[in-house]
Amino acid sequence: MGCCASELEERTQKVAEVTEDHKDPLDIVVNIVEAKGVPDCDTNGINGKEEQKADTFCQFFIAEDAEGKHIVSNKERTPYRLNTPEPKWSCHRRLHGKYNKEKRMYLVMDLYDFDTYSKPDLIGGTVVDITDIESGKTITSDIHFYGSNQKDMQKKAKKSGQKCTVTFQTFTGKKWPTKKTFFFIRHGESKWNEAEHQILKEGKVLGGVTTMAKGRDHPLNYIGIQQAYDLNKRWKEKNNDKPELGPTPTEEDIEKFVNADKVLSSPLTRALQTCLIGLEGHKTLTDKGVRLHRQLREVKNRIGWDALGKETGEKIPVRIASCLTEEAKARAEELKDLTPEEVKKLTSVEIDLNDTFSHWWDPDRDTKSEISERITDIMHTLRYCDEETIICTGHSLFFREICRAYIGGGHKTIPQKLGKKEKKEREVIKKQQKTKEYNGWAATEFPQALIKRKLNNGACLMANFDFSSDQPEKWEIASAKLMFGSKFKSEKKAKEDKELEEKVYEKLQSEGQIPEDKNVVSPA
């Protein structure tokens, strides 16, 4: 690549002024697929540990010089991946601007180690001439180490015997569908939901329940399994019952669900179990399987250990089968049809483990900027794929955050606290969110309920997205419907949940499980 650390620093901070030479429009979608061989970093990282693997993210942009200093596009970045030498992203972003087509076009990709309390540490980078690269072709490029840790990283890379590389794709002139339909399915009732009922019944927080609250990744209980089977029955019967709120789905809406092009799921056990049971027999699940996506996991609140995973990669399907088998034995009377053969059949579909081979959950409470970044990432993934109709199984809080972001449009990614500029931008975006105005359909009762209320367990929401604008902040949910007789959680139950969270939080804090000066929860 041929540039020193100071030059690399310079190129990440300065954007070239647009001159008369920059008259040709630049519009490219870049997919940063993954990196491999990222050395361990002697930095504090997100967990405050030394000698740990990097929490890597990639910053990328277009330049018209081989040193990567003459920047002609916006700069984008992937989310960071926690504590892994092989981060997987599949992060799609649009790079746009103006350039001189008589010059070459270079994609600049820099890897950083994310730090919670300080600026990211530069790992290294690469500059690739993409002028003549075939659209959609997958390319792998070597990373060159720079920055203060250069010699140490070179030494570690040499010791490991593995090159540090980044893999990417570029798409020029490709047209993706601008109108898409997504079906958001909330998981069935989990073991933790069952523990909540126990608290309400007993009127106090019991020791066993606080143990549940500190547990990770609770599976479906027998009621949740029955709810998933009920969802399966309703869509197969093409149930068209009038929903609690909003318009009644049409036959065309139901056919869209039945013929959906793709299935995605949160890696959390309760969501993937709901997917495999609730969509059993769906042609797309049978033929193509389900792809896991870490960004569909639940929002982690202050007692949200349940949003933490227990397994990664190939151990996830094993856990799914084990938990179903265990509940079938414990509730043999209620789950007569969930035989060992049935469990084997349900879990025999192809599961694309995608980005779950490293820790795909965050140990701390999700901040607004982290939720915003997750929403941006998953929506770009959905926007820049060929499929027009996609089923996503996941969680009520995260689906509600998507509705809040895209009903009425206006979603912008809230940047991490990296400096004065980012801090100022954060405050502006937060103020815009608080004063967001809704017009037309977005101001009516049903979409406002989607913003404020949670879906019931086993509920299915159809959301029709409009991606016709090149500006992500103008993407929006144009219309939505509750499918197959689905309902919202009642306002009474929502109030009880809030009171319950306060009780459990106070109990855990009194036991020293939650630091009083920090509104975060440490993993169990």
Side-chain angles (χ1 to χ4, degrees), residues 236-341:
K236 285 180 177 177
E237 292 178 348
K238 299 188 176 181
N239 179 296
N240 204 21
D241 291 347
K242 183 176 176 59
E244 177 184 357
L245 276 177
T248 302
T250 64
E251 290 184 9
E252 182 182 356
D253 297 329
I254 295 173
E255 287 304 312
K256 275 190 176 182
F257 181 92
V258 173
N259 297 303
D261 306 311
K262 191 172 189 175
V263 178
L264 298 177
S265 177
S266 156
L268 285 165
T269 299
R270 57 194 182 277
L272 185 50
Q273 286 177 320
T274 301
C275 175
L276 298 178
I277 297 172
L279 298 179
E280 186 276 325
H282 193 287
K283 189 176 187 306
T284 300
L285 183 69
T286 303
D287 294 347
K288 300 179 182 178
V290 55
R291 181 178 174 87
L292 304 186
H293 203 298
R294 65 167 68 196
Q295 304 297 31
L296 286 172
R297 69 188 187 276
E298 182 60 300
V299 173
K300 188 175 184 299
N301 60 26
R302 57 185 178 175
I303 60 169
W305 278 296
D306 200 30
L308 301 176
K310 270 195 171 182
E311 304 293 355
T312 59
E314 295 173 352
K315 292 183 179 180
I316 293 175
V318 176
R319 173 170 168 77
I320 298 300
S322 174
C323 290
L324 285 175
T325 300
E326 184 179 323
E327 188 68 5
K329 288 180 179 179
R331 292 285 185 170
E333 186 64 29
E334 296 91 341
L335 300 173
K336 293 179 181 178
D337 295 331
L338 193 59
T339 62
E341 292 75 23

Side-chain angles (χ1 to χ4, degrees), residues 205 210 214 302-303 305 501-521:
V205 182
T210 56
K214 292 184 288 183
R302 57 185 178 175
I303 60 169
W305 278 296
E501 183 184 322
E502 290 296 328
K503 289 180 180 179
V504 176
Y505 178 75
E506 290 171 4
K507 175 72 172 177
L508 293 174
Q509 194 173 64
S510 69
E511 295 176 352
Q513 300 294 334
I514 302 175
E516 292 189 12
D517 60 338
K518 292 183 180 179
N519 207 21
V520 298
V521 180

Side-chain angles (χ1 to χ4, degrees), residues 14-156:
K14 295 183 179 180
V15 177
E17 292 183 5
V18 176
T19 67
E20 292 183 1
D21 291 337
H22 298 100
K23 58 186 177 182
D24 301 302
L26 170 69
D27 197 345
I28 296 175
V29 171
V30 176
N31 174 23
I32 305 297
V33 180
E34 64 181 358
K36 289 188 175 181
V38 180
D40 296 353
C41 293
D42 295 328
T43 54
N44 288 333
I46 194 167
N47 284 333
K49 298 177 182 178
E50 294 185 353
E51 295 291 344
Q52 68 161 8
K53 296 176 177 64
D55 305 320
T56 312
F57 69 87
C58 178
Q59 180 174 260
F60 54 103
F61 47 87
I62 301 295
E64 58 181 17
D65 64 305
E67 285 73 36
K69 293 191 292 184
H70 203 178
I71 304 170
V72 293
S73 78
N74 52 309
K75 290 186 285 187
E76 295 288 349
R77 53 174 284 185
T78 69
Y80 67 83
R81 292 295 185 245
L82 181 64
N83 201 28
T84 175
E86 297 188 354
K88 295 180 182 295
W89 294 293
S90 294
C91 175
H92 294 73
R93 296 292 186 272
R94 174 175 171 257
L95 300 182
H96 55 90
K98 290 186 176 182
Y99 78 118
N100 185 345
K101 66 180 180 181
E102 295 180 0
K103 296 185 178 182
R104 308 297 292 177
M105 194 160 41
Y106 299 88
L107 176 62
V108 181
M109 295 168 284
D110 295 324
L111 299 184
Y112 288 86
D113 177 33
F114 179 82
D115 288 327
T116 306
Y117 303 109
S118 62
K119 289 185 177 181
D121 298 305
L122 175 65
I123 296 172
T126 185
V127 180
V128 182
D129 185 343
I130 61 170
T131 310
D132 302 316
I133 288 180
E134 178 185 347
S135 180
K137 185 177 181 180
T138 302
I139 305 292
T140 297
S141 180
D142 292 347
I143 291 292
H144 302 266
F145 300 121
Y146 295 95
S148 58
N149 296 321
Q150 177 184 2
K151 290 183 179 179
D152 187 44
M153 290 185 191
Q154 288 174 336
K155 182 179 178 181
K156 288 180 178 180

Side-chain angles (χ1 to χ4, degrees), residues 485-514:
S486 295
K487 297 180 180 180
F488 289 106
K489 179 174 282 191
S490 69
E491 293 183 6
K492 178 184 177 182
K493 183 65 171 65
K495 184 179 178 181
E496 289 176 346
D497 286 352
K498 191 171 182 179
E499 293 173 353
L500 176 64
E501 183 184 322
E502 290 296 328
K503 289 180 180 179
V504 176
Y505 178 75
E506 290 171 4
K507 175 72 172 177
L508 293 174
Q509 194 173 64
S510 69
E511 295 176 352
Q513 300 294 334
I514 302 175

